Amino acid sequence: MALTPTYSDRPRVLVVGGGYVGLYTAFKLQKKIAKSGGIVTLVDPLPYMTYQPFLPEVAGGNIEARHAVVSHRRHLLETELIQGSVTGIDHENRTAVIAPADGGAPIELPYHDVVVAAGAITRTFPIKGLAESGIGLKSIEEAVALRNQVLSLIEQASTETDPAQRRRALTFVVVGGGFAGIETIAELEDMARAAVKLNDRVDQSELRFVLVEAMGRIMPEVTEAQALWVVEHLRSRGVEVLLNTSLDNAEGKFIKLINLPDKSVAQEFDAETLIWTAGVMANPMVRSTDFPIEPRGRVSVNAQLQVSGEFGVIENAWAAGDVAAVPDVTGGLPDGTCVPNAQHAVRQAKRLAKNLWASRFNKPLKGYKHKNLGAVAGFGEWKGVAKIMGIQLKGAPAWLAHRGYHGLAMPTVERKFRVLMDWFIAMFTGRDLTQLENLADPRGSFVAAATPKPKPAAAAPAAPAEAPKAEAPKAEAPKAEAPKAESPAAPTGAPKAQVREEATAAN
């Protein structure tokens, strides 16, 4: 008998997305809403929240992949969880349409309040070959795949005799000079150097790392002097830093780079690994709602994190994080909104939860206000850069600040402990340099073992060397048969002896 899933009929706070904003909003509201007779429902295609600042360290083998994510099911015990994607919101009728992750029939879910927290996706451009050759670094799956790919390519190159194929395997390109791109190329370069030390068939000089940035500088979050230091630091490690340069083509993993603004060819070469970290954009699902959308594709909200447009506030609709254009009264981007980072998202989620709860009792709502404390970045073991409340750090102090800040910012005590243990163990044992193969086809070896093998062909009736002996009697067969016809009573042994003698004579 088929079972039909049942969903609560209590007044619902629908949270769309399970990232920073979704996780913290649900966590802060679930008990209060439950006590008031309602329920919080969180919808996300994934069963976990990903702490994205740790993705470069996951790719670099310093943090176990599962420790950089937070389970919804484990930590949102009083929240109704639905694994799927919201494909449409009709706020006028207070309903949302959900496509289950397992491909089941769409679900139409009523709600009282809705929190749009769908986050951002990777922003790409129509570059030929990018979709086929590139990989991003926005998910835990991408980080794991990158780690395995880099380590596997080093192993493959160690037995490759074709110089061109060897260069292709050991060339790694990162497009995007923001925090994500810089941390990614630095962590991967650090890991690759450590892996090559264990492989005598590959020389350090064969590794090639290329950073491509379309702007004239990298990392706009830090000072210009610090950005220049980072470029010098990377180049001292052998990383090619190409500023004012853009990716023009990547078909067949043949990389074509052009200079900006004259668009002349800068470099052309083969590279097996192309990593795209050139920015993010608001989740396009918001265009399937009846909410006001600003020019950059984000939901328009006021300082209280209520969805609002030219006709004022839309009741019972809230949004925050990367998917929302949250006003920054302290001074943010040129358009006056908060930058899309984890620091703002976590704090906005807490303010949103308080304001939503206060609105139930018609209490005054407070506006979101937070001055950015700065930025920290890690470039591999004991290397980094930071700007914290105006204080500039680089090298080991910045690296320690990076780990200290993100260790505290990682959601839940349980995950904090796991990450700290990863770091502690790595201090004594180093990075984990073991790649996991065949993740894309885990059943391959089993299928090969379980597939019936064809039966071996039947053996030949006689060995070729003895063929002449078999043929000789056949040639003299008429002489052997003659005595039988003329004298039936003759002993049978006579003809056989005669045949043997004739066969001997023939040989």
Side-chain angles (χ1 to χ4, degrees):
M1 181 180 66
L3 298 178
T4 302
T6 58
Y7 303 98
S8 175
D9 57 1
R10 290 181 285 171
R12 175 177 285 106
V13 175
L14 176 63
V15 179
V16 181
Y20 302 104
V21 175
L23 176 72
Y24 276 98
T25 298
F27 185 77
K28 294 292 182 180
L29 285 175
Q30 58 181 356
K31 290 183 179 180
K32 294 178 180 179
I33 297 297
K35 288 181 180 179
S36 68
I39 191 169
V40 174
T41 300
L42 185 144
V43 180
D44 193 277
L46 300 173
Y48 49 77
M49 168 260 188
T50 303
Y51 191 71
Q52 293 177 4
F54 281 159
L55 292 181
E57 288 205 60
V58 171
N62 270 327
I63 296 177
E64 161 63 35
R66 291 173 300 169
H67 299 169
V69 300
V70 181
S71 167
H72 294 151
R73 186 71 62 182
R74 177 168 184 175
H75 296 283
L76 299 177
L77 299 178
E78 297 185 59
T79 296
E80 182 182 51
L81 299 172
I82 301 176
Q83 196 170 335
S85 302
V86 174
T87 59
I89 295 177
D90 179 5
H91 190 65
E92 184 177 356
N93 295 305
R94 299 294 196 276
T95 58
V97 178
I98 301 168
D102 61 3
I107 304 164
E108 190 171 279
L109 212 62
Y111 63 80
H112 182 271
D113 289 272
V114 63
V115 177
V116 182
I121 64 171
T122 300
R123 180 188 62 184
T124 60
F125 301 105
I127 299 172
K128 292 181 179 180
L130 178 59
E132 296 78 19
S133 304
I135 184 174
L137 192 64
K138 196 75 172 60
S139 69
I140 199 71
E141 293 81 5
E142 288 174 321
V144 173
L146 266 176
R147 173 179 174 275
N148 291 327
Q149 179 170 322
V150 172
L151 294 173
S152 293
L153 286 171
I154 291 173
E155 286 294 326
Q156 292 173 26
S158 71
T159 57
E160 178 60 62
T161 57
D162 184 343
Q165 291 298 326
R166 193 177 176 99
R167 285 193 300 271
R168 176 189 177 108
L170 295 176
T171 299
F172 309 93
V173 181
V174 175
V175 180
F179 260 65
I182 299 297
E183 288 188 305
T184 298
I185 199 168
E187 288 285 348
L188 290 179
E189 189 271 344
D190 220 30
M191 179 184 71
R193 299 291 176 192
V196 168
K197 287 181 181 179
L198 303 178
N199 194 324
D200 295 335
R201 295 190 299 270
V202 181
D203 190 79
Q204 298 281 355
S205 62
E206 295 183 271
L207 292 173
R208 184 185 183 190
F209 284 84
V210 182
L211 177 71
V212 180
E213 170 52 46
M215 304 297 291
R217 62 162 289 183
I218 61 172
M219 301 178 74
E221 298 89 348
V222 301
T223 66
E224 186 172 356
Q226 286 181 305
L228 290 173
W229 177 84
V230 172
V231 171
E232 294 175 2
H233 169 76
L234 291 177
R235 286 174 175 166
S236 72
R237 292 165 59 172
V239 177
E240 298 176 39
V241 181
L242 306 178
L243 303 178
N244 296 308
T245 306
S246 177
L247 176 65
D248 182 66
N249 196 304
E251 291 179 293
K253 298 191 176 181
F254 180 72
I255 308 300
K256 179 182 178 182
L257 305 176
I258 59 173
N259 294 309
L260 299 177
D262 63 1
K263 296 189 177 181
S264 60
V265 176
Q267 291 191 34
E268 292 180 313
F269 54 88
D270 287 308
E272 193 65 35
T273 304
L274 173 63
I275 306 167
W276 181 270
T277 62
V280 297
M281 60 180 287
N283 194 317
M285 66 77 49
V286 299
R287 299 188 183 279
S288 300
T289 72
D290 50 2
F291 296 137
I293 308 298
E294 51 93 63
R296 294 180 60 190
R298 300 173 295 177
V299 178
S300 295
V301 299
N302 59 18
Q304 289 72 36
L305 306 175
Q306 297 169 293
V307 177
S308 60
E310 58 179 324
F311 301 110
V313 172
I314 298 177
E315 298 295 333
N316 304 108
W318 312 78
D322 295 355
V323 79
V326 180
D328 184 1
V329 297
T330 66
L333 294 177
D335 62 358
T337 60
C338 295
V339 296
N341 61 23
Q343 187 178 142
H344 280 302
V346 170
R347 289 172 172 79
Q348 287 170 11
K350 295 176 180 178
R351 172 47 52 197
L352 189 155
K354 291 178 180 178
N355 281 351
L356 190 153
W357 184 246
S359 70
R360 295 289 181 93
F361 307 98
N362 294 319
K363 292 183 178 180
L365 309 183
K366 293 184 179 180
Y368 173 75
K369 181 179 180 181
H370 172 70
K371 185 174 178 60
N372 199 318
L373 299 178
V376 292
F379 301 154
E381 294 176 348
W382 302 101
K383 298 178 284 286
V385 68
K387 185 182 73 172
I388 305 172
M389 294 185 291
I391 300 174
Q392 300 180 28
L393 302 172
K394 60 184 180 181
W399 179 78
L400 290 171
H402 161 77
R403 289 204 160 178
Y405 173 78
H406 287 298
L408 292 173
M410 180 68 187
T412 78
V413 173
E414 174 243 344
R415 289 303 176 190
K416 284 182 172 67
F417 180 75
R418 291 182 186 274
V419 169
L420 289 174
M421 288 303 298
D422 285 344
W423 285 339
F424 180 75
I425 293 171
M427 287 182 66
F428 298 96
T429 63
R431 298 171 182 270
D432 189 338
L433 299 175
T434 305
Q435 72 268 26
L436 301 177
E437 299 287 359
N438 303 319
L439 291 180
D441 184 25
R443 295 181 62 251
S445 59
F446 174 78
V447 171
T451 301
K453 305 297 185 295
K455 294 182 179 180
E466 298 181 359
K469 293 182 179 181
E471 291 297 327
K474 292 181 180 178
E476 300 295 332
K479 295 181 181 180
E481 292 295 328
K484 291 183 179 180
E486 296 173 357
S487 180
T492 57
K496 291 182 179 179
Q498 182 180 353
V499 170
R500 284 199 296 270
E501 291 174 357
E502 292 172 353
T504 303
N507 287 333

